[in-house]
Amino acid sequence: MAIKKISSFSKLGMLITLGIVYGDIGTSPLYVMNAIIHDAGKMQQAVPEYIIGSISLIFWTLMLITTIKYIGIAMKADNHSEGGIFALYALVRSKKWLVIPALIGGSALLADGTLTPAVTVTSAMEGLKGQAIGGFVMPNNQSIIIILVTIILLTIFIIQKFGTENIGKSFGPIMLIWFSFIGVAGFINITHDWSIFKALSPIYAVKILTSPVNHVGIFILGSVFLATTGAEALYSDMGQVGKYNIYATWPFVCTMLMLNYLGQGAWVINHYLDPQYFNVASINPFYEMLPGNMKFAAIIIATFAAIIASQALITGSFTLVEEAIGLKMLPRLRVRFPGKIKSQLYIGTVNWALCLVTLGIVWSFQTSEHMEAAYGLAITLTMLMTTILLHQFLIMKKHPLLANIFVSFFFTLETLFLVSSLTKFIHGGYVTIIITTLILMIMVIWYFGNKRRDYHSNESQSVSLLDYLPQFQKLSNDKDVPMYATNLVFISRVGEDYSIKRAIIYSILDQEPKRAKVYWFITVNQTDKPYECNYTVDMMHTRNVVDVQLNVGFKKSQHVNIYIRQIVNAMLDDKVIDPQTPEYSVMPNRRVGSFKFVILNEQFQDLGAQEELASWDRFLIGGRLLLQNLTLPPALWYGLEFSDVTEEKVPLFLVNHTDPYLVKEKVRNEAESDQEKERDSIESKEKVKTETKEKVLND
């Protein structure tokens, strides 16, 4: 959802925070207790000891992971007010190996985003089964529920491209109503059995793990973990709403959630022996504990809350992908801003991929109970990876003892959740693992493919820009060569030692000399600060060759066309480049001449170049080039769709190859000459033999 950034704590900020941050964790009561009862086997086996112990596990999971780890510790690890696993990685990436947990955590978080809309909307809509609406009774048919869920999800995905700014303003009030409703509903049921408050003691949480009434043992943690799956979203959305608004709203949200869980537990304790529920294996206490006249209203509110949770996950995925692109972990994709606010993103490729996978999950798993079997497994991986990155952050902040205590405790705890969630693998967890693996493969190929390409390119394919300055100046003044462009721009890295790809120099001087008034070499440097935007200029003691180092944060646009004209105008003001007012123009005050952008499209030129690479490098670089050809072209990524752009295909590596099997065949003249030489040699030998024989006879 797109909301303007909230820079400080306020009542409005708190209301907006409710709508943005808590959709996922706030809808957990719709399905968590259902999963716990399913672990018990049947309703009759959900005895008070089991229910109190399970809710105790829920409470202490929320306290330890959500409250202490994320709100208490992770939110202090903000990157210029931005949160989330990629923003955290940008803070600590001086340790190169930390890219591995960042890639794993990011891919798992994206995979989890495909399940949340499916689970939440299906759980909400299942309350309609058997519900009387006026004189009409809803059939107890899951197929109808699936059709309704599909319509709702399709609508959510379709409206993304148009922007959700206006409807987004209502999310906060709706979530306030939702949390108030579930808290009051839970409290009403608590009054029927106050003993449920024993669940707040950690003793019951520890006991239930080994109790004989718990038939699944430690693996109950897989269901309990569903109560805190939205904790990562609190950290990720910190940049939009501000940490102090989260600090202020979490006590209210946590209280309402626990009142509802306690209320559901009290209802189960009072009804687990009822004949109508005795042999039921799948039941949702959230709806069952409500009076009949309140159920329909609850379904409507729950559906809106589920839609908000889905919307938050979808837009959260857009933000996550944008950050990954900025950190060069994913290929370039077209990012649009459908609303009036910059923070509202839309990435069509991601939107429709999420839509396809989410609907596939809905139609494959059919019920929320089956979806829960696949839910939560991927997010445990993300939490584990966040723990590793936070450990490094605490070390950077000179808290090594705290860092070691933190990682020892939370890594152990989250490993237990991961192991218990692995039991879901054969029941549907394999789906999220497959999705995570596919996303991770793309990330690994793109990120490390770039690294290996740059390594081999810099190893032997670079020259010094300084060596060619005299030729550029001479070419610029050579009126015998037609003017190619007033400003000729190459977007390519220039190193600190002025090293540049040989192919660029070759393009300017050799292919067809490109005469320009000013030669621009623009290096786009992605920085660790999310919204940094500045540049440096190096003229190298010339007036027509410019090295621009453009520094942009990983959440900033890389549209070079936005920046280049500002830079040119600033340099004209400073009189460091010569005036270039065009002779003809519809703009009377125009000071900047024409621009021509040249983009090099690197490709493997032949098998020989590939054979000289190690097999792993060949796989990474080849995969990276394939992804480059399948995704957004560089011209569009740099915002040059309406500019004069030339794309030149160049070999990735300039390698001279020789074939040892190539030999020169004799041509006709050469063959005749050799025959004459051979005849002369025979005649000479015969003459020598004759002379020798005659000499012997004479003697």
Side-chain angles (χ1 to χ4, degrees), residues 39-197:
D39 286 341
K42 293 182 179 180
M43 184 71 167
Q44 60 178 302
Q45 294 168 310
V47 297
E49 181 185 349
Y50 177 78
I51 292 299
I52 291 172
S54 299
I55 294 177
S56 184
L57 284 172
I58 291 173
F59 175 72
W60 287 104
T61 298
L62 287 173
M63 290 300 103
L64 293 172
I65 292 182
T66 310
T67 306
I68 295 177
K69 176 187 170 181
Y70 279 97
I71 293 180
I73 298 175
M75 286 178 58
K76 296 185 185 302
D78 66 292
N79 188 338
H80 295 78
S81 299
E82 290 293 323
I85 192 165
F86 288 145
L88 175 59
Y89 165 70
L91 277 177
V92 301
R93 63 172 169 172
S94 56
K95 298 286 185 182
K96 294 183 178 180
W97 67 272
L98 289 173
V99 70
I100 302 299
L103 292 173
I104 295 173
S107 57
L109 192 56
L110 283 171
D112 185 73
T114 63
L115 271 166
T116 298
V119 172
T120 54
V121 175
T122 305
S123 298
M125 297 302 295
E126 282 176 341
L128 284 173
K129 289 193 290 188
Q131 178 65 37
I133 306 172
F136 174 74
V137 178
M138 190 75 176
N140 195 13
N141 188 327
Q142 188 66 20
S143 297
I144 297 176
I145 300 299
I146 295 300
I147 292 171
L148 292 174
V149 169
T150 301
I151 293 171
I152 291 172
L153 289 175
L154 268 176
T155 303
I156 294 172
F157 283 110
I158 288 171
I159 66 173
Q160 298 304 313
K161 67 181 297 183
F162 303 107
T164 55
E165 180 181 347
N166 292 328
I167 62 171
K169 294 175 182 177
S170 65
F171 285 1
I174 291 173
M175 291 306 292
L176 178 61
I177 294 170
W178 167 253
F179 284 118
S180 301
F181 174 80
I182 65 173
V184 171
F187 182 76
I188 291 172
N189 280 273
I190 290 171
T191 59
H192 300 149
D193 193 332
W194 295 98
S195 67
I196 194 66
F197 275 109

Side-chain angles (χ1 to χ4, degrees), residues 521-575:
F521 302 94
I522 299 181
T523 304
V524 181
N525 299 307
Q526 174 267 312
T527 69
D528 296 340
K529 299 176 182 178
Y531 295 100
E532 182 176 8
C533 190
N534 57 66
Y535 69 94
T536 61
V537 169
D538 186 351
M539 300 293 296
M540 295 167 282
H541 305 292
T542 72
R543 292 187 66 83
N544 73 323
V545 182
V546 190
D547 169 21
V548 177
Q549 298 289 326
L550 181 60
N551 305 306
V552 294
F554 59 87
K555 288 179 76 68
K556 286 287 292 182
S557 166
Q558 294 196 13
H559 283 191
V560 170
N561 65 322
I562 297 174
Y563 309 118
I564 186 67
R565 292 189 181 274
Q566 291 179 247
I567 295 172
V568 175
N569 278 295
M571 294 180 70
L572 287 170
D573 290 339
D574 295 337
K575 298 181 179 179

